[in-house]
Amino acid sequence: MAAVIDGKAVAQAVREELREKAAVLKEAKGIAPGLAVILVGDDPASQVYVRGKRKACDEAGFLSREYRLPAETPEAEVLRIIGELNADPVIHGILVQMPVPPQIRPEAVVEAIDPRKDVDGLHPFNAGRLFSGDPFHKACTPSGVIELLDRYRIPIEGKEAVIVGRSNLVGKPLSLMLLSRHATVTVCHTRTRDLGAVTRRAEILVAAAGKAEMVRGDMVREGAVVIDVGINRLGGGKLVGDVAFNEAETRASWITPVPGGVGPMTIAMLLANTWRAAERAAG
Ligand code: NDP
């Protein structure tokens, strides 16, 4: 039976460490790490995420600023606000909550953010630095996965790692992070033939497909570490991951639950990036 990786507790510990580091920065240089979040429209899930980010900032002693814009806001207005924030010395991190309404091109807003303030790690500069093995800001969810493995002292080097999902947000950056930690990495997607045969090779199996409980127990290698990034809301509101937890836990050595696994790590890593940006800005 697998031991459960408690992402909530790890995220809390990371946030507590950041609160202490922020206090040190404030004491030494009079600077509080500042995060600006832009939310366009009224997507309910996005509202929840933005609220969570604000609360985390407040608890860690960070400055947080929110821009809640109507759904019909033109792209030019969002770009104007980003321009202002790029020039604002009290703001060290800028995040545009995705998804944005159709009149706004996500790549245009991401590319407008000063890469030094791109604490989501999605700007092509940051994606490129990760690719070249010299990362600057790393994407939050995949770095949360690495942090969980590290905090539980789960070795990565030399391991056979399989990721289900190849998005720019999760699967692809995570593949580069695991590769830089010397795992042997396979990335699966919808055209992968015989997915189970590939996932059964994994000593570290990461599910990031956005398909409720698609990873069944028989797709998990005996003793594997199973990391479930998926967040799927079933009818009735229940949240489940991409892994059938009850089946997988009988074969895995370690497993993350949903909720309470990778999810809480994303905000913790966002704060970590913002703190780092503030520290760099302070020299
Ligand atoms: P995307 O929809 O952008 O990407 C999903 C990926 O999974 C694609 O590469 C797709 O393949 C692949 N995929 C989908 N179905 C299958 C299948 N049946 N077999 C094999 N591969 C499949 O999703 P994201 O990467 O943005 O998110 C993935 C999940 O993680 C979602 O549930 C999301 O809610 C969650 N998430 C959680 C976060 C957190 O904080 N914990 C943060 C971000 C995301 P193809 O490329 O061929 O289409």
Side-chain angles (χ1 to χ4, degrees), residues 141 164-167 169-170 189-190 208-211 214 229-231 263 266:
T141 301
V164 185
R166 57 174 164 182
S167 71
L169 191 59
V170 186
H189 44 78
T190 53
K211 293 278 175 305
M214 65 163 289
V229 179
I231 301 176
T266 299

Side-chain angles (χ1 to χ4, degrees), residues 95-119:
L95 179 155
V96 178
Q97 184 65 49
M98 299 293 166
V100 285
Q103 78 277 14
I104 299 171
R105 293 166 299 156
E107 64 284 1
V109 294
V110 168
E111 288 179 28
I113 297 171
D114 181 334
R116 287 167 298 187
K117 298 192 177 187
D118 167 45
V119 286

Side-chain angles (χ1 to χ4, degrees), residues 207-259:
K211 293 278 175 305
E213 301 183 327
M214 65 163 289
V215 174
R216 312 305 309 191
D218 63 2
M219 294 165 73
V220 175
R221 174 174 170 162
E222 202 69 49
V225 176
V226 177
I227 307 289
D228 191 352
V229 179
I231 301 176
N232 309 286
R233 198 171 285 279
L234 301 181
K238 189 181 178 221
L239 279 190
V240 297
D242 289 351
V243 176
F245 185 91
N246 292 341
E247 297 175 17
E249 73 168 341
T250 63
R251 294 171 68 109
S253 57
W254 290 99
I255 189 165
T256 62
V258 175

